[in-house]
Amino acid sequence: MALAWSDVDLKKGIINIRRGLYVTKEQGLFFKEPKNKTSQRAVAISPEVVKVLKVHRKEQKG
């Protein structure tokens, strides 16, 4: 839920995990970096997922 298009590299087929979505009573919903650096990682996505994301992005842009 904390992904943004800037985290997605459709040319390389990679999604970069850089932050998480957290919630507290005091702050509500907010993004922040994970507690440890090993949680930040790159995840490979299949060509099929790349195709679906390209269509989805095009639809979002209108």
Side-chain angles (χ1 to χ4, degrees):
M1 296 208 22
L3 290 176
W5 282 114
S6 60
D7 300 319
V8 181
D9 186 332
L10 295 173
K11 290 181 182 175
K12 293 182 180 177
I14 294 174
I15 295 177
N16 294 294
I17 311 298
R18 297 181 179 142
R19 63 193 150 293
L21 179 62
Y22 299 86
V23 62
T24 64
K25 289 182 181 179
E26 299 81 23
Q27 293 180 287
L29 292 170
F30 63 98
F31 298 107
K32 77 173 193 175
E33 289 187 11
K35 291 180 183 178
N36 56 51
K37 291 292 180 184
T38 58
S39 294
Q40 294 186 9
R41 60 202 180 277
V43 178
I45 54 176
S46 70
E48 292 82 14
V49 172
V50 170
K51 287 179 188 177
V52 169
L53 289 175
K54 284 180 178 180
V55 170
H56 182 64
R57 187 170 189 182
K58 187 175 181 179
E59 289 173 356
Q60 277 189 332
K61 288 183 176 182

Short mmCIF file of all heavy atoms in Angstrom, two decimals:
data_model
loop_
_atom_site.label_atom_id
_atom_site.label_comp_id
_atom_site.label_asym_id
_atom_site.label_seq_id
_atom_site.Cartn_x
_atom_site.Cartn_y
_atom_site.Cartn_z
N MET A 1 0.81 -1.20 0.00
CA MET A 1 0.00 0.00 0.00
C MET A 1 0.85 1.26 0.00
O MET A 1 0.34 2.33 -0.21
CB MET A 1 -0.93 -0.01 1.21
CG MET A 1 -1.90 -1.16 1.14
SD MET A 1 -3.49 -1.03 1.93
CE MET A 1 -3.86 0.64 2.12
N ALA A 2 2.12 1.11 0.22
CA ALA A 2 2.99 2.28 0.28
C ALA A 2 3.76 2.49 -1.03
O ALA A 2 4.70 3.27 -1.07
CB ALA A 2 3.97 2.14 1.44
N LEU A 3 3.33 1.82 -2.09
CA LEU A 3 4.03 1.97 -3.37
C LEU A 3 3.55 3.20 -4.13
O LEU A 3 2.38 3.56 -4.08
CB LEU A 3 3.79 0.74 -4.25
CG LEU A 3 4.46 -0.55 -3.80
CD1 LEU A 3 4.03 -1.69 -4.73
CD2 LEU A 3 5.96 -0.42 -3.80
N ALA A 4 4.48 3.80 -4.83
CA ALA A 4 4.19 4.90 -5.73
C ALA A 4 4.80 4.53 -7.08
O ALA A 4 5.67 3.66 -7.17
CB ALA A 4 4.80 6.20 -5.21
N TRP A 5 4.35 5.20 -8.13
CA TRP A 5 4.89 4.89 -9.45
C TRP A 5 6.40 5.13 -9.51
O TRP A 5 7.10 4.48 -10.27
CB TRP A 5 4.18 5.69 -10.54
CG TRP A 5 2.84 5.11 -10.88
CD1 TRP A 5 1.62 5.69 -10.66
CD2 TRP A 5 2.58 3.84 -11.46
NE1 TRP A 5 0.62 4.85 -11.07
CE2 TRP A 5 1.18 3.69 -11.57
CE3 TRP A 5 3.38 2.79 -11.89
CZ2 TRP A 5 0.58 2.56 -12.10
CZ3 TRP A 5 2.78 1.65 -12.42
CH2 TRP A 5 1.40 1.55 -12.52
N SER A 6 6.90 6.03 -8.68
CA SER A 6 8.36 6.27 -8.66
C SER A 6 9.13 5.06 -8.13
O SER A 6 10.34 4.97 -8.31
CB SER A 6 8.66 7.51 -7.81
OG SER A 6 8.21 7.32 -6.48
N ASP A 7 8.43 4.11 -7.51
CA ASP A 7 9.06 2.88 -7.00
C ASP A 7 9.08 1.77 -8.05
O ASP A 7 9.70 0.74 -7.84
CB ASP A 7 8.31 2.36 -5.77
CG ASP A 7 8.28 3.35 -4.63
OD1 ASP A 7 9.32 3.99 -4.38
OD2 ASP A 7 7.22 3.49 -3.99
N VAL A 8 8.39 1.98 -9.16
CA VAL A 8 8.22 0.94 -10.17
C VAL A 8 9.08 1.24 -11.38
O VAL A 8 8.98 2.32 -11.97
CB VAL A 8 6.73 0.82 -10.59
CG1 VAL A 8 6.56 -0.27 -11.63
CG2 VAL A 8 5.85 0.58 -9.38
N ASP A 9 9.94 0.30 -11.75
CA ASP A 9 10.76 0.42 -12.95
C ASP A 9 10.25 -0.61 -13.96
O ASP A 9 10.61 -1.80 -13.88
CB ASP A 9 12.23 0.19 -12.63
CG ASP A 9 13.15 0.45 -13.81
OD1 ASP A 9 12.70 0.29 -14.97
OD2 ASP A 9 14.31 0.81 -13.58
N LEU A 10 9.38 -0.16 -14.86
CA LEU A 10 8.77 -1.08 -15.81
C LEU A 10 9.76 -1.56 -16.87
O LEU A 10 9.61 -2.65 -17.41
CB LEU A 10 7.56 -0.42 -16.48
CG LEU A 10 6.40 -0.11 -15.53
CD1 LEU A 10 5.32 0.70 -16.25
CD2 LEU A 10 5.82 -1.39 -14.95
N LYS A 11 10.79 -0.78 -17.16
CA LYS A 11 11.79 -1.20 -18.14
C LYS A 11 12.64 -2.35 -17.61
O LYS A 11 12.96 -3.28 -18.34
CB LYS A 11 12.70 -0.03 -18.52
CG LYS A 11 11.98 1.02 -19.35
CD LYS A 11 12.91 2.14 -19.72
CE LYS A 11 12.15 3.21 -20.50
NZ LYS A 11 12.99 4.37 -20.78
N LYS A 12 12.99 -2.30 -16.33
CA LYS A 12 13.81 -3.35 -15.72
C LYS A 12 12.98 -4.45 -15.08
O LYS A 12 13.51 -5.49 -14.71
CB LYS A 12 14.74 -2.75 -14.66
CG LYS A 12 15.80 -1.82 -15.23
CD LYS A 12 16.70 -1.30 -14.15
CE LYS A 12 17.76 -0.37 -14.70
NZ LYS A 12 18.60 0.20 -13.64
N GLY A 13 11.68 -4.22 -14.90
CA GLY A 13 10.82 -5.21 -14.27
C GLY A 13 11.08 -5.36 -12.78
O GLY A 13 11.16 -6.46 -12.26
N ILE A 14 11.22 -4.21 -12.12
CA ILE A 14 11.57 -4.21 -10.69
C ILE A 14 10.67 -3.23 -9.94
O ILE A 14 10.37 -2.13 -10.42
CB ILE A 14 13.04 -3.79 -10.48
CG1 ILE A 14 13.97 -4.85 -11.08
CG2 ILE A 14 13.36 -3.56 -9.02
CD1 ILE A 14 15.43 -4.46 -11.07
N ILE A 15 10.26 -3.64 -8.74
CA ILE A 15 9.57 -2.74 -7.81
C ILE A 15 10.49 -2.55 -6.61
O ILE A 15 10.97 -3.52 -6.02
CB ILE A 15 8.22 -3.31 -7.37
CG1 ILE A 15 7.27 -3.40 -8.56
CG2 ILE A 15 7.62 -2.46 -6.25
CD1 ILE A 15 5.93 -4.02 -8.24
N ASN A 16 10.76 -1.30 -6.27
CA ASN A 16 11.61 -0.98 -5.13
C ASN A 16 10.73 -0.73 -3.90
O ASN A 16 9.84 0.11 -3.93
CB ASN A 16 12.45 0.27 -5.43
CG ASN A 16 13.43 0.00 -6.54
OD1 ASN A 16 14.35 -0.79 -6.38
ND2 ASN A 16 13.24 0.63 -7.68
N ILE A 17 11.01 -1.48 -2.85
CA ILE A 17 10.29 -1.31 -1.58
C ILE A 17 11.12 -0.34 -0.74
O ILE A 17 12.23 -0.67 -0.32
CB ILE A 17 10.12 -2.66 -0.85
CG1 ILE A 17 9.58 -3.74 -1.78
CG2 ILE A 17 9.30 -2.48 0.41
CD1 ILE A 17 8.22 -3.45 -2.35
N ARG A 18 10.59 0.87 -0.52
CA ARG A 18 11.36 1.92 0.15
C ARG A 18 10.72 2.43 1.43
O ARG A 18 11.35 3.12 2.22
CB ARG A 18 11.54 3.10 -0.79
CG ARG A 18 12.32 2.76 -2.03
CD ARG A 18 12.47 3.97 -2.92
NE ARG A 18 13.25 3.62 -4.10
CZ ARG A 18 13.02 4.09 -5.30
NH1 ARG A 18 12.03 4.92 -5.51
NH2 ARG A 18 13.77 3.72 -6.32
N ARG A 19 9.43 2.15 1.63
CA ARG A 19 8.74 2.68 2.80
C ARG A 19 7.53 1.80 3.11
O ARG A 19 7.13 0.98 2.30
CB ARG A 19 8.30 4.12 2.58
CG ARG A 19 7.29 4.29 1.46
CD ARG A 19 7.16 5.76 1.08
NE ARG A 19 6.81 5.97 -0.31
CZ ARG A 19 7.53 5.72 -1.37
NH1 ARG A 19 8.71 5.19 -1.24
NH2 ARG A 19 7.11 5.97 -2.59
N GLY A 20 6.99 2.02 4.27
CA GLY A 20 5.79 1.30 4.67
C GLY A 20 4.69 2.28 5.04
O GLY A 20 4.96 3.47 5.28
N LEU A 21 3.47 1.79 5.07
CA LEU A 21 2.33 2.60 5.48
C LEU A 21 1.99 2.19 6.91
O LEU A 21 1.78 1.02 7.19
CB LEU A 21 1.14 2.35 4.56
CG LEU A 21 -0.14 3.12 4.86
CD1 LEU A 21 0.08 4.62 4.74
CD2 LEU A 21 -1.26 2.67 3.92
N TYR A 22 1.97 3.17 7.79
CA TYR A 22 1.73 2.93 9.21
C TYR A 22 0.52 3.72 9.66
O TYR A 22 0.11 4.68 9.02
CB TYR A 22 2.96 3.35 10.03
CG TYR A 22 4.20 2.58 9.68
CD1 TYR A 22 5.02 2.97 8.64
CD2 TYR A 22 4.54 1.43 10.38
CE1 TYR A 22 6.15 2.26 8.30
CE2 TYR A 22 5.67 0.70 10.07
CZ TYR A 22 6.48 1.12 9.03
OH TYR A 22 7.59 0.40 8.70
N VAL A 23 -0.04 3.33 10.79
CA VAL A 23 -1.19 4.05 11.36
C VAL A 23 -1.04 4.09 12.88
O VAL A 23 -0.63 3.12 13.51
CB VAL A 23 -2.53 3.40 10.95
CG1 VAL A 23 -2.65 1.99 11.46
CG2 VAL A 23 -3.70 4.24 11.41
N THR A 24 -1.30 5.27 13.45
CA THR A 24 -1.36 5.43 14.89
C THR A 24 -2.57 6.30 15.22
O THR A 24 -3.07 7.03 14.35
CB THR A 24 -0.09 6.11 15.47
OG1 THR A 24 0.00 7.44 14.95
CG2 THR A 24 1.17 5.33 15.13
N LYS A 25 -3.01 6.24 16.44
CA LYS A 25 -4.12 7.10 16.86
C LYS A 25 -3.73 8.57 16.77
O LYS A 25 -4.54 9.42 16.42
CB LYS A 25 -4.55 6.76 18.29
CG LYS A 25 -5.25 5.44 18.40
CD LYS A 25 -5.68 5.20 19.83
CE LYS A 25 -6.36 3.85 19.95
NZ LYS A 25 -6.78 3.55 21.32
N GLU A 26 -2.48 8.86 17.10
CA GLU A 26 -2.01 10.25 17.12
C GLU A 26 -1.82 10.84 15.73
O GLU A 26 -2.15 11.98 15.47
CB GLU A 26 -0.69 10.36 17.90
CG GLU A 26 -0.77 9.94 19.34
CD GLU A 26 -0.72 8.43 19.54
OE1 GLU A 26 -0.19 7.71 18.66
OE2 GLU A 26 -1.23 7.97 20.58
N GLN A 27 -1.25 10.05 14.82
CA GLN A 27 -0.88 10.56 13.49
C GLN A 27 -1.80 10.10 12.37
O GLN A 27 -1.70 10.62 11.26
CB GLN A 27 0.56 10.15 13.16
CG GLN A 27 1.61 10.81 14.04
CD GLN A 27 2.99 10.36 13.66
OE1 GLN A 27 3.38 9.24 13.93
NE2 GLN A 27 3.73 11.25 13.00
N GLY A 28 -2.63 9.12 12.61
CA GLY A 28 -3.43 8.56 11.53
C GLY A 28 -2.53 7.76 10.59
O GLY A 28 -1.55 7.15 11.03
N LEU A 29 -2.83 7.79 9.31
CA LEU A 29 -2.02 7.09 8.31
C LEU A 29 -0.82 7.94 7.90
O LEU A 29 -0.96 9.14 7.67
CB LEU A 29 -2.84 6.78 7.07
CG LEU A 29 -3.96 5.76 7.21
CD1 LEU A 29 -4.82 5.75 5.96
CD2 LEU A 29 -3.41 4.39 7.48
N PHE A 30 0.34 7.30 7.79
CA PHE A 30 1.54 8.01 7.34
C PHE A 30 2.55 7.02 6.78
O PHE A 30 2.52 5.84 7.10
CB PHE A 30 2.16 8.85 8.47
CG PHE A 30 2.64 8.03 9.63
CD1 PHE A 30 3.98 7.68 9.75
CD2 PHE A 30 1.77 7.60 10.62
CE1 PHE A 30 4.42 6.92 10.82
CE2 PHE A 30 2.19 6.85 11.70
CZ PHE A 30 3.53 6.50 11.80
N PHE A 31 3.43 7.53 5.92
CA PHE A 31 4.51 6.73 5.35
C PHE A 31 5.78 6.97 6.14
O PHE A 31 6.04 8.08 6.59
CB PHE A 31 4.79 7.13 3.89
CG PHE A 31 3.63 6.91 2.97
CD1 PHE A 31 2.90 7.97 2.49
CD2 PHE A 31 3.28 5.63 2.59
CE1 PHE A 31 1.84 7.78 1.63
CE2 PHE A 31 2.21 5.42 1.73
CZ PHE A 31 1.49 6.49 1.25
N LYS A 32 6.59 5.92 6.26
CA LYS A 32 7.92 6.09 6.83
C LYS A 32 8.80 4.94 6.39
O LYS A 32 8.31 3.89 5.95
CB LYS A 32 7.89 6.21 8.35
CG LYS A 32 7.70 4.95 9.12
CD LYS A 32 7.85 5.22 10.61
CE LYS A 32 7.98 3.91 11.36
NZ LYS A 32 8.23 4.09 12.76
N GLU A 33 10.11 5.15 6.50
CA GLU A 33 11.05 4.11 6.13
C GLU A 33 10.93 2.96 7.12
O GLU A 33 10.60 3.16 8.28
CB GLU A 33 12.47 4.66 6.14
CG GLU A 33 12.76 5.60 5.01
CD GLU A 33 14.23 6.00 4.94
OE1 GLU A 33 15.06 5.38 5.63
OE2 GLU A 33 14.54 6.92 4.19
N PRO A 34 11.22 1.75 6.65
CA PRO A 34 11.18 0.60 7.56
C PRO A 34 12.19 0.74 8.69
O PRO A 34 13.14 1.52 8.60
CB PRO A 34 11.54 -0.59 6.67
CG PRO A 34 11.43 -0.11 5.28
CD PRO A 34 11.56 1.38 5.30
N LYS A 35 11.98 -0.04 9.74
CA LYS A 35 12.85 0.04 10.91
C LYS A 35 14.29 -0.36 10.60
O LYS A 35 15.22 0.14 11.20
CB LYS A 35 12.31 -0.82 12.04
CG LYS A 35 11.03 -0.29 12.63
CD LYS A 35 10.53 -1.17 13.75
CE LYS A 35 9.20 -0.65 14.27
NZ LYS A 35 8.66 -1.51 15.32
N ASN A 36 14.47 -1.29 9.67
CA ASN A 36 15.84 -1.68 9.33
C ASN A 36 16.04 -1.60 7.82
O ASN A 36 15.09 -1.71 7.04
CB ASN A 36 16.18 -3.08 9.86
CG ASN A 36 15.21 -4.13 9.37
OD1 ASN A 36 14.97 -4.22 8.18
ND2 ASN A 36 14.66 -4.93 10.27
N LYS A 37 17.26 -1.40 7.43
CA LYS A 37 17.58 -1.19 6.01
C LYS A 37 17.38 -2.45 5.17
O LYS A 37 17.20 -2.36 3.97
CB LYS A 37 19.02 -0.69 5.86
CG LYS A 37 19.21 0.71 6.38
CD LYS A 37 18.46 1.71 5.52
CE LYS A 37 18.64 3.11 6.03
NZ LYS A 37 17.86 4.08 5.27
N THR A 38 17.39 -3.63 5.80
CA THR A 38 17.19 -4.85 5.02
C THR A 38 15.75 -4.96 4.52
O THR A 38 15.47 -5.73 3.59
CB THR A 38 17.55 -6.11 5.83
OG1 THR A 38 16.76 -6.15 7.02
CG2 THR A 38 19.02 -6.12 6.19
N SER A 39 14.84 -4.20 5.10
CA SER A 39 13.46 -4.19 4.62
C SER A 39 13.32 -3.43 3.31
O SER A 39 12.36 -3.61 2.59
CB SER A 39 12.53 -3.58 5.67
OG SER A 39 12.49 -4.40 6.81
N GLN A 40 14.28 -2.57 3.03
CA GLN A 40 14.29 -1.87 1.74
C GLN A 40 14.93 -2.81 0.73
O GLN A 40 16.05 -3.27 0.93
CB GLN A 40 15.06 -0.56 1.84
CG GLN A 40 14.41 0.45 2.73
CD GLN A 40 15.12 1.78 2.70
OE1 GLN A 40 16.01 2.02 1.89
NE2 GLN A 40 14.72 2.66 3.58
N ARG A 41 14.19 -3.11 -0.33
CA ARG A 41 14.69 -4.11 -1.26
C ARG A 41 14.07 -3.90 -2.64
O ARG A 41 13.12 -3.16 -2.79
CB ARG A 41 14.39 -5.51 -0.76
CG ARG A 41 12.89 -5.75 -0.58
CD ARG A 41 12.63 -6.89 0.39
NE ARG A 41 11.21 -7.14 0.57
CZ ARG A 41 10.41 -6.47 1.39
NH1 ARG A 41 10.89 -5.49 2.12
NH2 ARG A 41 9.13 -6.76 1.50
N ALA A 42 14.62 -4.58 -3.61
CA ALA A 42 14.08 -4.58 -4.97
C ALA A 42 13.46 -5.95 -5.22
O ALA A 42 14.06 -6.97 -4.90
CB ALA A 42 15.18 -4.29 -5.98
N VAL A 43 12.27 -5.94 -5.80
CA VAL A 43 11.55 -7.18 -6.08
C VAL A 43 11.33 -7.27 -7.59
O VAL A 43 10.78 -6.34 -8.19
CB VAL A 43 10.19 -7.20 -5.34
CG1 VAL A 43 9.42 -8.46 -5.67
CG2 VAL A 43 10.39 -7.06 -3.84
N ALA A 44 11.76 -8.38 -8.17
CA ALA A 44 11.56 -8.59 -9.60
C ALA A 44 10.10 -8.94 -9.87
O ALA A 44 9.47 -9.64 -9.07
CB ALA A 44 12.47 -9.71 -10.09
N ILE A 45 9.58 -8.41 -10.98
CA ILE A 45 8.21 -8.73 -11.38
C ILE A 45 8.24 -9.37 -12.77
O ILE A 45 9.12 -9.09 -13.58
CB ILE A 45 7.29 -7.49 -11.35
CG1 ILE A 45 7.85 -6.34 -12.18
CG2 ILE A 45 7.04 -7.05 -9.92
CD1 ILE A 45 6.96 -5.13 -12.27
N SER A 46 7.29 -10.23 -13.02
CA SER A 46 7.26 -10.97 -14.29
C SER A 46 6.84 -10.06 -15.44
O SER A 46 6.22 -9.01 -15.23
CB SER A 46 6.27 -12.13 -14.18
OG SER A 46 4.95 -11.63 -14.11
N PRO A 47 7.15 -10.46 -16.66
CA PRO A 47 6.71 -9.70 -17.83
C PRO A 47 5.19 -9.51 -17.87
O PRO A 47 4.70 -8.48 -18.32
CB PRO A 47 7.21 -10.53 -19.01
CG PRO A 47 8.37 -11.29 -18.48
CD PRO A 47 8.02 -11.58 -17.05
N GLU A 48 4.45 -10.50 -17.39
CA GLU A 48 2.99 -10.39 -17.36
C GLU A 48 2.54 -9.27 -16.42
O GLU A 48 1.62 -8.51 -16.74
CB GLU A 48 2.36 -11.72 -16.93
CG GLU A 48 2.54 -12.83 -17.95
CD GLU A 48 3.89 -13.52 -17.87
OE1 GLU A 48 4.63 -13.36 -16.87
OE2 GLU A 48 4.25 -14.22 -18.84
N VAL A 49 3.19 -9.17 -15.27
CA VAL A 49 2.86 -8.11 -14.32
C VAL A 49 3.22 -6.75 -14.90
O VAL A 49 2.48 -5.78 -14.74
CB VAL A 49 3.55 -8.35 -12.95
CG1 VAL A 49 3.38 -7.16 -12.02
CG2 VAL A 49 3.02 -9.61 -12.30
N VAL A 50 4.35 -6.67 -15.59
CA VAL A 50 4.75 -5.42 -16.24
C VAL A 50 3.67 -4.98 -17.22
O VAL A 50 3.27 -3.81 -17.24
CB VAL A 50 6.12 -5.58 -16.95
CG1 VAL A 50 6.40 -4.37 -17.82
CG2 VAL A 50 7.22 -5.79 -15.93
N LYS A 51 3.15 -5.91 -18.02
CA LYS A 51 2.09 -5.58 -18.98
C LYS A 51 0.85 -5.03 -18.28
O LYS A 51 0.27 -4.03 -18.70
CB LYS A 51 1.71 -6.81 -19.80
CG LYS A 51 2.73 -7.23 -20.82
CD LYS A 51 2.27 -8.47 -21.56
CE LYS A 51 3.37 -9.00 -22.44
NZ LYS A 51 2.97 -10.26 -23.11
N VAL A 52 0.45 -5.68 -17.20
CA VAL A 52 -0.74 -5.25 -16.46
C VAL A 52 -0.51 -3.87 -15.86
O VAL A 52 -1.39 -3.00 -15.91
CB VAL A 52 -1.10 -6.28 -15.36
CG1 VAL A 52 -2.16 -5.74 -14.42
CG2 VAL A 52 -1.56 -7.58 -15.98
N LEU A 53 0.66 -3.64 -15.29
CA LEU A 53 0.95 -2.34 -14.69
C LEU A 53 1.01 -1.23 -15.74
O LEU A 53 0.58 -0.10 -15.47
CB LEU A 53 2.26 -2.39 -13.90
CG LEU A 53 2.20 -3.19 -12.60
CD1 LEU A 53 3.59 -3.27 -11.97
CD2 LEU A 53 1.22 -2.57 -11.62
N LYS A 54 1.50 -1.53 -16.93
CA LYS A 54 1.52 -0.53 -18.00
C LYS A 54 0.10 -0.12 -18.37
O LYS A 54 -0.19 1.07 -18.54
CB LYS A 54 2.25 -1.06 -19.23
CG LYS A 54 3.75 -1.08 -19.08
CD LYS A 54 4.43 -1.61 -20.34
CE LYS A 54 5.94 -1.58 -20.20
NZ LYS A 54 6.62 -2.10 -21.41
N VAL A 55 -0.80 -1.09 -18.48
CA VAL A 55 -2.20 -0.78 -18.79
C VAL A 55 -2.82 0.03 -17.66
O VAL A 55 -3.49 1.04 -17.90
CB VAL A 55 -3.00 -2.09 -19.02
CG1 VAL A 55 -4.49 -1.81 -19.09
CG2 VAL A 55 -2.52 -2.79 -20.29
N HIS A 56 -2.56 -0.38 -16.42
CA HIS A 56 -3.12 0.32 -15.27
C HIS A 56 -2.63 1.77 -15.20
O HIS A 56 -3.41 2.69 -14.95
CB HIS A 56 -2.77 -0.43 -13.98
CG HIS A 56 -3.33 0.18 -12.75
ND1 HIS A 56 -4.68 0.27 -12.51
CD2 HIS A 56 -2.72 0.76 -11.68
CE1 HIS A 56 -4.89 0.87 -11.36
NE2 HIS A 56 -3.71 1.17 -10.84
N ARG A 57 -1.34 1.95 -15.43
CA ARG A 57 -0.78 3.32 -15.40
C ARG A 57 -1.40 4.19 -16.49
O ARG A 57 -1.73 5.35 -16.25
CB ARG A 57 0.74 3.27 -15.55
CG ARG A 57 1.37 4.62 -15.34
CD ARG A 57 2.84 4.53 -15.24
NE ARG A 57 3.38 5.80 -14.82
CZ ARG A 57 4.65 6.07 -14.68
NH1 ARG A 57 5.54 5.12 -14.88
NH2 ARG A 57 5.06 7.24 -14.32
N LYS A 58 -1.57 3.62 -17.68
CA LYS A 58 -2.17 4.36 -18.78
C LYS A 58 -3.60 4.77 -18.43
O LYS A 58 -4.04 5.91 -18.69
CB LYS A 58 -2.15 3.52 -20.05
CG LYS A 58 -2.60 4.24 -21.29
CD LYS A 58 -2.43 3.38 -22.52
CE LYS A 58 -2.85 4.11 -23.76
NZ LYS A 58 -2.67 3.32 -24.98
N GLU A 59 -4.35 3.87 -17.80
CA GLU A 59 -5.73 4.17 -17.38
C GLU A 59 -5.76 5.26 -16.32
O GLU A 59 -6.64 6.12 -16.32
CB GLU A 59 -6.41 2.91 -16.86
CG GLU A 59 -6.74 1.90 -17.94
CD GLU A 59 -7.27 0.60 -17.40
OE1 GLU A 59 -7.32 0.40 -16.17
OE2 GLU A 59 -7.63 -0.26 -18.23
N GLN A 60 -4.80 5.24 -15.40
CA GLN A 60 -4.74 6.27 -14.35
C GLN A 60 -4.47 7.65 -14.93
O GLN A 60 -4.99 8.64 -14.45
CB GLN A 60 -3.64 5.94 -13.33
CG GLN A 60 -4.07 4.97 -12.28
CD GLN A 60 -3.03 4.86 -11.18
OE1 GLN A 60 -1.84 5.07 -11.39
NE2 GLN A 60 -3.51 4.51 -9.99
N LYS A 61 -3.63 7.70 -15.95
CA LYS A 61 -3.30 8.98 -16.57
C LYS A 61 -4.46 9.56 -17.36
O LYS A 61 -4.49 10.75 -17.64
CB LYS A 61 -2.06 8.84 -17.47
CG LYS A 61 -0.77 8.66 -16.71
CD LYS A 61 0.41 8.60 -17.65
CE LYS A 61 1.71 8.53 -16.89
NZ LYS A 61 2.87 8.53 -17.78
N GLY A 62 -5.42 8.70 -17.71
CA GLY A 62 -6.62 9.17 -18.39
C GLY A 62 -6.47 9.23 -19.84
O GLY A 62 -6.99 9.71 -20.70
#
